[in-house]
Amino acid sequence: MTQTQIRQYQVGARSTDVFGRVLCSVRDHHFIVDGPVQNGCPGEEVTPPELFLSGVAACGVELVHVIAREQGVTMGKVSVSAYGELDRSKQKRADVTVLNEVRLTFEFSETDGATAAQLVEGFKRR
């Protein structure tokens, strides 16, 4: 069976009655995202940068599992923590705000260091 290289995703977001609170929808799943308190928003729920970093971390965990399976590698559990930093005074472009720094930290259990390093390198190439 051949897999298509094109993957398409559709998500939605709409305002709510609370300033800075957004209702997001992905397929049949719905969740709330709040803007950060620095923007005058509630900041009680997950914020957009946290959601972005969560997606990157989840991608890391999932892809390491996929790569291990493809390579026939036995591994234990893996966790990824993601750190992001935004400094509006040090943006590379004036027309867009981006995270200045993103760091991922992979932690493996029951997996030797060489195998873990190989799997992380595989993730970086995807």
Side-chain angles (χ1 to χ4, degrees):
M1 176 165 76
T2 171
Q3 291 183 353
T4 179
Q5 296 300 312
I6 298 172
R7 298 178 187 185
Q8 298 177 332
Y9 305 94
Q10 182 70 39
V11 303
R14 68 174 181 82
S15 60
T16 66
D17 292 338
V18 176
F19 176 81
R21 182 158 283 166
V22 180
L23 175 63
C24 298
S25 300
V26 178
R27 291 177 280 132
D28 294 329
H29 305 280
H30 309 285
F31 54 95
I32 299 294
V33 173
D34 278 354
V37 294
Q38 296 90 338
N39 291 351
C41 301
E44 296 167 350
E45 301 292 335
V46 174
T47 64
E50 292 166 331
L51 188 60
F52 169 77
L53 292 169
S54 294
V56 173
C59 184
V61 170
E62 182 264 337
L63 276 178
V64 163
H65 278 276
V66 168
I67 294 165
R69 182 180 63 194
E70 288 173 354
Q71 296 178 356
V73 172
T74 301
M75 59 171 271
K77 294 191 182 283
V78 61
S79 64
V80 176
S81 62
Y83 168 83
E85 186 171 288
L86 179 113
D87 184 343
R88 291 184 187 276
S89 70
K90 295 180 182 174
Q91 293 293 297
K92 294 199 184 277
R93 292 176 37 184
D95 61 330
V96 65
T97 302
V98 297
L99 292 169
N100 300 74
E101 179 181 357
V102 173
R103 278 193 315 253
L104 299 180
T105 303
F106 287 75
E107 291 186 25
F108 291 82
S109 66
E110 303 171 31
T111 306
D112 66 83
T115 301
Q118 172 191 355
L119 293 170
V120 171
E121 284 305 312
F123 165 75
K124 289 178 182 179
R125 287 191 300 272
R126 291 277 175 123

